[in-house]
Amino acid sequence: EHEGHPSSSHQSLKGTSKWASSLENLLEDPEGVKRFREFLKKEFSEENVLFWLACEEFKKTQGKKQMQEKAKEIYMTFLSSKASSQVNVEGQSRLSETILETPHPLMFQKLQDQIFNLMKYDSYSRFLKSDIFLNHKKSEEQEENSPEAQTAAKRASRIYNT
């Protein structure tokens, strides 16, 4: 039923139902990111989401000097052959250190997309079946069924209906 108008329906999703709707939605939610990182740490692939977040942050960076510093940091942390948290992307060797001198906001976009897809088709689906996710979902459901939550929800719906 959601497919027809995703824009109106996905805004109302919260917590785990938001996370389960798409990886994009999960990554927009700080709590979701926190849980996803927890999960990836167990899988030894936390660097993927850290790289993705660093690239998002990089796109908002203003000023050439800051961009150079950030680009270098991303390169040294995730892309260089000596990187401490090396991400597994194809063609990372083609991103030479020379590009770091002339950074532009989307210089990491291709690699970021690759990592996004890697997470989407690999760890994200496992995350949705993981204890971290399922326990969080369970505690949400318990909160929703508590009497306080129900009165809060009634109050909220009154506010929106005015």
Side-chain angles (χ1 to χ4, degrees), residues 75 79 89-97 111:
Y75 182 81
L79 299 170
V89 284
E90 300 135 46
Q92 66 203 59
S93 47
R94 284 202 301 274
L95 190 67
S96 65
E97 294 193 42
L111 300 177

Side-chain angles (χ1 to χ4, degrees), residues 29-47:
D29 184 352
E31 180 66 22
V33 168
K34 199 171 113 188
R35 301 293 170 182
F36 191 43
R37 282 181 59 177
E38 216 174 291
F39 170 73
L40 292 176
K41 220 178 245 156
K42 290 194 159 128
E43 293 213 330
F44 304 103
S45 59
E46 190 190 14
E47 67 279 354

Side-chain angles (χ1 to χ4, degrees), residues 69-106:
E69 282 168 18
K70 265 224 166 92
K72 191 167 180 159
E73 197 182 310
I74 289 177
Y75 182 81
M76 298 313 284
T77 310
F78 301 106
L79 299 170
S80 124
S81 54
K82 300 182 281 295
S84 51
S85 311
Q86 202 177 357
V87 290
N88 183 10
V89 284
E90 300 135 46
Q92 66 203 59
S93 47
R94 284 202 301 274
L95 190 67
S96 65
E97 294 193 42
T98 48
I99 192 176
L100 301 176
E101 297 308 306
T102 52
H104 59 90
L106 300 177

